[in-house]
Each structure stands twice: as C-alpha cells, then as structure tokens.
C-alpha cells in the first residue's frame, strides 16, 4: 500500500495558550493520497485557513504530526520548510499576490529563481506555464493591465511553473466573477487530470461540488469527509 502523500495526525494549533486560548485546530487527523482532488470547506473562523497554512508548510503546529511524502515536516525549521514549499507545493491565493512592477512572465519566473534555474530556462518554463493557462498573448502585461481573472491565471501559471506535485489553492475564485471562476476551475480540473494533487480551501459549496472529495471543518475539527457522487 502506497503511503499517503499527506498524513496529519492529532494536529493542534493553539493561539494565546492559557485561559483565553483559541484552538484554531483541534486534534485533526487526515490523509490525502497522491492524485486526489479535494476541497477543504468551512466558514470564516472554522480553522480552514490555519489548516491551509499547516498543509502548505507556512506555519508549524502547536502539537501533532504532519508527514508530507513520508517526511515529518511538523518539526522543521523555517529554512527547511521553505525548501519543502519550493519543491513540493504550488500556491494559489485569493488575492493573487502578484508583484505589481513585474510583467506576467516576470511574476511566473519568480519561484524558478529560487530553484536556481538559468535565465533562458526560466523564460521558457514561465512561457510554457502561461500558455497552459491561455495567456501566451499577455506575457508582457503587468498586473494592472490585466483583469482579475487574468491575474489569477498568472498566479496559477506561477504555481504550476516549477511542476510541484501539490497545488494548494486558497479561495482561488474568491475575488472573481462567474465567468473567470469557471475558467480557473477548469484549469484546476485539468491540472488534476494531468496527475497533480489539488487541494482547494473554500467556503463555497458550488466550488466544493466540483471536486472528488469534500472535507468539512468547523471549530477546528473535521466534521465530515465525503466523496462527491
């Protein structure tokens, strides 16, 4: 039996320990296998964003274990975590997080610089990623020259350029109109079909209905874990 890609055991995240403590995550157990298409759904304050930060190695738990690809990342130092993030995970955020004074190509090249790739190679890979999301004619446009949907497609291209095995999308359609939402979801579905593990954090049932598996989180606990028909 192949080991789960993501295995979370008794994960807790506590803010202000003591009498006013907030248990953002309360003994969470979860396994996600390679190639799954999962939505983690919950309302604001449910703990889903905290959980995303744990899964994305952006933060470490107060207690519990997190194995990514068989490696315990819950005890790693910051510099080790950033290496894991660079190698394993492509992030897509609700706010796009693009650099305003770089064009689309420059934004997509950024994570490739950290991987130590040469200039020409970076350009080619970034160009390919932008073509995959249908922006081959917008590579020299800056974020303010692009619509919200196009900016999010640049962000998707940036997330997939280095071909990480895991795509972690935090409310990826939260700032988009319905047409752009459909476009972004179609891109994520294609990524999943190509073999990536795609995890979407959302509060939106319509988004959750489009994936294979839905994990609901409430008050820092997993309350259901079901497969979509």
């Amino acid at each position: 039996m192949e080991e789960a890609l993501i295995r979370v055991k008794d994960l807790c995240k506590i803010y202000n320990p003591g009498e006013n403590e907030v248990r953002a995550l309360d003994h969470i157990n979860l396994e996600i296998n390679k190639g799954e298409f999962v939505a983690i759904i919950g309302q604001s304050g449910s703990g889903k964003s905290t959980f995303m930060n744990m899964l994305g190695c952006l933060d470490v738990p107060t207690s519990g274990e997190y194995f990514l690809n068989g490696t315990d990342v819950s005890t790693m130092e910051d510099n080790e975590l950033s290496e894991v993030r660079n190698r394993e995970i492509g992030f897509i955020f609700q706010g796009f997080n693009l650099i305003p004074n770089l064009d689309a190509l420059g934004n997509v090249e950024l994570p490739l610089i950290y991987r130590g790739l040469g200039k020409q190679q970076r350009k080619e890979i970034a160009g390919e990623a932008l073509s995959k999301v249908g922006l081959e004619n917008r590579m020299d446009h800056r974020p303010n020259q692009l619509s919200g949907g196009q900016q999010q497609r640049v962000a998707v291209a940036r997330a997939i350029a280095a071909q990480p095995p895991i795509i972690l999308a935090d409310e990826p359609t939260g700032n988009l109109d319905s047409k752009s939402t459909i476009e972004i979801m179609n891109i994520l579905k294609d990524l999943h079909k190509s073999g990536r593990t795609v995890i979407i954090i959302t509060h939106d049932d319509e988004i959750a209905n489009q994936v294979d598996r839905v994990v609901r989180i409430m008050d820092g606990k997993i309350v259901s874990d079901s497969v979509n028909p």
Side-chain angles (χ1 to χ4, degrees):
M1 171 97 180
E2 198 180 342
E3 181 155 25
L5 178 65
I6 285 173
R7 186 158 62 91
V8 170
K9 240 170 114 179
D10 256 347
L11 205 67
C12 293
K13 184 67 179 180
I14 299 169
Y15 295 104
N16 334 316
E19 48 192 273
N20 299 327
E21 71 179 28
V22 176
R23 282 185 174 264
L25 296 176
D26 196 355
H27 296 284
I28 283 199
N29 291 288
L30 183 70
E31 287 194 359
I32 295 175
N33 292 316
K34 189 170 181 264
E36 282 201 88
F37 193 11
V38 185
I40 293 172
I41 187 168
Q43 291 313 315
S44 178
S46 61
K48 66 179 188 301
S49 299
T50 306
F51 193 34
M52 177 191 127
N53 288 339
M54 299 294 149
L55 291 178
C57 299
L58 295 163
D59 197 359
V60 288
T62 307
S63 62
E65 295 174 305
Y66 172 22
F67 291 91
L68 178 62
N69 249 332
T71 303
D72 185 357
V73 293
S74 43
T75 55
M76 283 187 175
E77 300 290 320
D78 283 354
N79 56 342
E80 294 176 290
L81 283 174
S82 67
E83 212 163 280
V84 170
R85 283 197 302 272
N86 270 339
R87 204 175 50 237
E88 303 284 347
I89 304 164
F91 291 95
I92 303 164
F93 298 98
Q94 177 176 350
F96 317 141
N97 289 12
L98 300 176
I99 310 288
N101 57 354
L102 289 180
D103 62 14
L105 196 67
N107 268 287
V108 177
E109 277 185 49
L110 263 188
L112 303 172
I113 295 172
Y114 298 122
R115 291 197 160 209
L117 296 179
K119 201 172 173 187
Q120 195 48 43
Q121 203 182 0
R122 288 202 305 265
K123 253 194 170 54
E124 279 167 26
I125 292 173
E128 255 170 61
L130 283 164
S131 299
K132 272 190 191 139
V133 299
L135 287 179
E136 55 280 337
N137 303 324
R138 293 269 191 283
M139 294 195 195
D140 55 353
H141 288 51
R142 290 185 179 189
N144 65 359
Q145 300 170 309
L146 299 168
S147 70
Q150 289 169 332
Q151 288 184 58
Q152 191 57 302
R153 281 193 274 161
V154 173
V156 172
R158 179 184 58 194
I160 64 175
Q163 301 205 326
I166 301 168
I167 300 291
L168 202 49
D170 186 15
E171 300 279 6
T173 59
N175 286 338
L176 304 180
D177 59 29
S178 51
K179 181 176 172 286
S180 300
T181 293
I182 291 167
E183 285 174 0
I184 293 297
M185 284 306 294
N186 283 339
I187 291 170
L188 290 173
K189 288 172 188 171
D190 286 344
L191 283 170
H192 170 245
K193 283 192 192 110
S194 76
R196 305 283 164 82
T197 306
V198 180
I199 303 169
I200 300 178
I201 313 286
T202 184
H203 68 278
D204 186 342
D205 281 308
E206 273 184 45
I207 298 295
N209 289 339
Q210 299 181 55
V211 308
D212 299 339
R213 177 182 170 195
V214 181
V215 176
R216 277 181 193 277
I217 194 166
M218 202 165 114
D219 300 329
K221 292 181 164 77
I222 290 177
V223 290
S224 72
D225 185 348
S226 57
V227 175
N228 273 335

